Amino acid sequence: MKNVENSEFYAGMCSDIEQNKTFQKYLFRLLGSYSHVQVVIYAMGSIEYSFNSQFQLSVVLLLKRDFPNWIGNIQIYDPDMSPADIIVFKELGFEVLTIDENCKREVQRPTMFYMPNPCYHLIGNLLGANWSSSCINQIFLLTNTLSGTLTDMPQCNCVLLETRLRLERILDFTTEIDKKTSDDQMYTDLFLEFAWHFFDVDPSIDMETLLPATEITERKGNDNLGFWVGCAKML
């Protein structure tokens, strides 16, 4: 944990929290009448078997230590968690989730999602579960940049279609605060294109009109048709 604590990467993260006026504005608005945010960790892997996961865990432990004034209870789930991981997490005071939510947590209060290594569809699941202004304005993410995720996603993949559509629609309402990783290659590999994400959707906007369920169904049908036509041409 000392390596992370003394890193340029973590120093930059603390600087954002303490001095970045955009970060402070959105955090203050998100907290509202609450004193602390709930923290949920998804997609971190196993700290028993992954050196990378150990470093990524250190980040949230340091944030909890250094900013107890707004970081509250921490919950964690990953399908790769080992029995040893679970013991350690409980000793650290985390609440270990026993049911795989598949990143479909619909929030009821201000919540920070820390997702170091999410698959594309998990981002889509999280956005879909909170696809209303009352929910999405209560969450913020520490994960790979959503703009970069959209750019990197395969364009012709019907499985990821809904995720791609949600990302396209939500980016206009998203503020990304990029994290600089420093010149250390290890941090570049671990936290490349990492960012804080805040959402600001006017309550008068019906998010269902931004992405109607009928459009998802129609686009999936078209993508599936294109897939089979492409396969036929290869035969």
Side-chain angles (χ1 to χ4, degrees), residues 66 88 110-111 131 133 144 148-149 203 205 211:
D66 295 339
V88 171
T111 304
W131 201 250
S133 61
N144 301 330
T149 297
I205 294 177
L211 184 57

Side-chain angles (χ1 to χ4, degrees), residues 129-224:
N130 294 281
W131 201 250
S132 67
S133 61
S134 61
C135 288
I136 206 156
N137 287 343
Q138 290 197 83
I139 71 176
F140 68 111
L141 313 180
L142 180 57
T143 189
N144 301 330
T145 64
L146 298 188
S147 56
T149 297
L150 179 60
T151 300
D152 295 340
M153 283 179 63
Q155 293 300 304
C156 298
N157 186 323
C158 60
V159 175
L160 296 175
L161 173 64
E162 185 171 343
T163 296
R164 188 167 72 248
L165 292 174
R166 292 199 188 281
L167 286 171
E168 289 173 352
R169 301 301 197 276
I170 202 61
L171 281 176
D172 287 341
F173 305 93
T174 305
T175 295
E176 292 185 351
I177 302 174
D178 293 342
K179 296 302 313 131
K180 305 303 180 185
T181 54
S182 81
D183 295 330
D184 191 317
Q185 187 61 44
M186 178 181 68
Y187 289 96
T188 300
D189 293 341
L190 285 174
F191 301 105
L192 182 64
E193 295 188 339
F194 226 54
W196 300 99
H197 300 78
F198 292 93
F199 304 98
D200 189 4
V201 179
D202 192 285
S204 65
I205 294 177
D206 179 3
M207 292 185 68
E208 176 60 24
T209 64
L210 294 178
L211 184 57
T214 52
E215 179 180 349
I216 296 174
T217 302
E218 290 171 0
R219 291 281 294 273
K220 280 185 176 179
N222 291 338
D223 274 22
N224 282 328

Side-chain angles (χ1 to χ4, degrees), residues 13-188:
M13 183 172 287
C14 292
S15 177
D16 282 340
I17 295 171
E18 295 170 342
Q19 301 177 27
N20 187 302
K21 294 188 182 303
T22 300
F23 181 97
Q24 293 175 347
K25 178 186 74 172
Y26 279 106
L27 179 63
F28 181 77
R29 188 215 66 187
L30 182 139
L31 280 170
S33 61
Y34 288 87
S35 59
H36 293 77
V37 300
Q38 167 80 62
V39 178
V40 180
I41 304 173
Y42 292 137
M44 191 170 68
S46 169
I47 60 171
E48 181 180 8
Y49 298 111
S50 171
F51 180 75
N52 290 353
S53 298
Q54 294 173 22
F55 268 75
Q56 290 156 351
L57 173 64
S58 295
V59 169
V60 77
L61 290 176
L62 288 167
L63 289 174
K64 173 67 173 175
R65 184 199 70 183
D66 295 339
F67 301 98
N69 57 313
W70 61 269
I71 293 182
N73 181 50
I74 299 176
Q75 298 179 329
I76 187 168
Y77 180 83
D78 193 287
D80 292 334
M81 286 189 303
S82 70
D85 291 336
I86 293 173
I87 291 172
V88 171
F89 293 146
K90 288 183 176 179
E91 289 178 347
L92 291 170
F94 292 5
E95 179 183 348
V96 179
L97 303 175
T98 57
I99 297 175
D100 186 357
E101 299 176 332
N102 206 20
C103 295
K104 294 181 179 180
R105 167 81 63 94
E106 181 179 352
V107 302
Q108 305 296 326
R109 53 162 297 160
T111 304
M112 166 183 156
F113 289 94
Y114 177 46
M115 304 170 70
N117 302 298
C119 297
Y120 295 131
H121 75 278
L122 296 180
I123 294 292
N125 288 351
L126 183 61
L127 293 175
N130 294 281
W131 201 250
S132 67
S133 61
S134 61
C135 288
I136 206 156
N137 287 343
Q138 290 197 83
I139 71 176
F140 68 111
L141 313 180
L142 180 57
T143 189
N144 301 330
T145 64
L146 298 188
S147 56
T149 297
L150 179 60
T151 300
D152 295 340
M153 283 179 63
Q155 293 300 304
C156 298
N157 186 323
C158 60
V159 175
L160 296 175
L161 173 64
E162 185 171 343
T163 296
R164 188 167 72 248
L165 292 174
R166 292 199 188 281
L167 286 171
E168 289 173 352
R169 301 301 197 276
I170 202 61
L171 281 176
D172 287 341
F173 305 93
T174 305
T175 295
E176 292 185 351
I177 302 174
D178 293 342
K179 296 302 313 131
K180 305 303 180 185
T181 54
S182 81
D183 295 330
D184 191 317
Q185 187 61 44
M186 178 181 68
Y187 289 96
T188 300

